[in-house]
Amino acid sequence: MSTHRKHLRRRQGLALVSAAALGLTLAACSTDDGGSDDAGAEGTDESTEEMADGDMGTITLGYLPAWTDGLSMAYLADNLLTEAGYTVEHQDVQEAGLLYTALAEGDVDMYPSAWPEVTHAQYMEEYGDSIDDIGTYYDNAKLTMAVPEYTEVDSIAELADNADLFGSTIVGIEPGAGLTAAVQDSVIPTYGLDEAGYELQTSSTTAMLTELEQATEDEEDILVTLWQPFWANAAYPVKTLEDPEGALGEAEGLHFLGTSGFADEYPEAAEIIGGIQLDDTQFGTLEDLVVNENPDDPAAGVEAWLEENPDVIPMPES
């Protein structure tokens, strides 16, 4: 049995259990009848015939849509891989831990914007043996905490003495996010915020941004967890708080991660994806076009970005 067929059969079997257990929701898909998993598993002759007709195989991207770096890079990867002849499917996942589980078990083929060096290090320790690192596309990602520009606090070290400004509340994002763990397990005890009565409020990135937008419109003080790169840093009048103790960790790279054996099964896809390198400006304009300018059609945002940046993405030689 070929590696391709083994992978498809494994993913089909796992999906019966994992889709329910992990809460994976099939999202906007780019598929055709000749590129589905079922068609690829029907028989060696049919699979071979499809590959001969130009079907490079099906690649499933798993990401958290609320984390806009993943959303933006997923649609960029979709565009490039589709152009190369692959069928691309998207799966929404609601928690980082579930996504790493799905990636390790082969329920998704690629996580298009992972933070494995620091933020998601605990997941890599657990699942890293079943995950391939395809490449780093951005090398200056940071976890942050922020307040409005008009708030008279400039450092996390000042928060303990100014708990009343924020109602002793840190407005966070998803409970399973690496940022949430860093704030809860490192920032709060390092700076004595627990002794000052602070509590970390978790819900979702969308809910955090809603509270941030309302507070800044009303010129009220608010303390939120953020990260860079992220479009919200430019969209709202916020400033990043200094972290003199380094409790949020060092800057890290954003990676494309694949399920084990990805590069062997999809060598051209790995070459395309592994060649992506973005700087601050390139990433910022991509995220802005996808998230803000084309919120109902992320693919159109990617198309517009590629038109403005025709030489950014190297393509393999044919």
Side-chain angles (χ1 to χ4, degrees):
M1 183 180 292
S2 69
T3 301
H4 180 68
R5 291 186 63 216
K6 285 180 179 178
H7 181 70
L8 293 176
R9 285 182 181 273
R10 178 166 64 97
R11 185 163 63 200
Q12 287 172 327
L14 286 168
L16 296 175
V17 176
S18 299
L22 302 180
L24 301 178
T25 304
L26 188 62
C29 300
S30 173
T31 61
D32 56 49
D33 291 341
S36 68
D37 284 357
D38 290 340
E42 285 177 358
T44 303
D45 294 340
E46 184 173 348
S47 177
T48 303
E49 181 179 349
E50 287 171 355
M51 295 296 283
D53 289 340
D55 183 357
M56 301 289 286
T58 299
I59 295 176
T60 303
L61 308 178
Y63 55 96
L64 284 72
W67 296 2
T68 52
D69 59 307
L71 176 71
S72 301
M73 297 309 293
Y75 277 91
L76 176 60
D78 185 333
N79 182 289
L80 300 177
L81 294 176
T82 299
E83 283 292 314
Y86 295 92
T87 296
V88 179
E89 296 182 349
H90 294 232
Q91 284 192 343
D92 296 353
V93 187
Q94 300 307 313
E95 289 285 348
L98 301 182
L99 178 50
Y100 277 88
T101 301
L103 187 64
E105 294 183 353
D107 291 324
V108 299
D109 297 302
M110 185 192 301
Y111 179 6
S113 187
W115 300 56
E117 298 173 14
V118 179
T119 306
H120 294 161
Q122 73 271 31
Y123 298 125
M124 291 301 291
E125 290 176 5
E126 184 172 359
Y127 300 111
D129 290 343
S130 300
I131 292 173
D132 288 350
D133 192 342
I134 303 170
T136 304
Y137 75 86
Y138 179 83
D139 60 7
N140 194 36
K142 299 176 182 177
L143 301 180
T144 66
M145 295 179 69
V147 299
E149 293 175 344
Y150 49 76
T151 298
E152 295 184 358
V153 170
D154 297 308
S155 170
I156 300 175
E158 300 173 40
L159 293 178
D161 293 331
N162 290 278
D164 290 344
L165 279 180
F166 312 106
S168 300
T169 300
I170 304 168
V171 182
I173 57 172
E174 290 77 8
L179 173 56
T180 299
V183 172
Q184 188 68 62
D185 300 336
S186 181
V187 173
I188 289 178
T190 296
Y191 289 98
L193 302 187
D194 46 352
E195 298 175 3
Y198 276 93
E199 292 187 1
L200 177 59
Q201 170 187 304
T202 60
S203 55
S204 68
T205 300
T206 301
M208 179 274 291
L209 291 175
T210 298
E211 291 198 38
L212 177 60
E213 180 174 13
Q214 188 61 58
T216 53
E217 284 181 357
D218 297 338
E219 294 192 2
E220 296 177 347
D221 296 307
I222 187 172
L223 172 61
V224 299
T225 62
L226 284 177
W227 60 93
Q228 298 173 355
F230 186 31
W231 62 267
N233 292 288
Y236 300 107
V238 296
K239 59 182 176 182
T240 298
L241 294 179
E242 297 174 6
D243 178 16
E245 300 297 328
L248 285 167
E250 300 297 325
E252 62 181 305
L254 298 183
H255 296 236
F256 287 99
L257 298 182
T259 193
S260 181
F262 180 90
D264 292 333
E265 186 170 356
Y266 306 111
E268 185 174 343
E271 184 178 356
I272 293 170
I273 296 303
I276 298 175
Q277 297 284 327
L278 302 181
D279 60 26
D280 289 335
T281 299
Q282 292 161 350
F283 186 91
T285 56
L286 172 63
E287 199 170 52
D288 183 58
L289 282 167
V290 170
V291 177
N292 298 321
E293 298 297 325
N294 296 275
D296 297 323
D297 190 359
V302 168
E303 288 283 359
W305 184 81
L306 288 170
E307 289 180 6
E308 295 177 3
N309 299 270
D311 300 322
V312 170
I313 307 299
M315 297 299 288
E317 297 181 3
S318 57

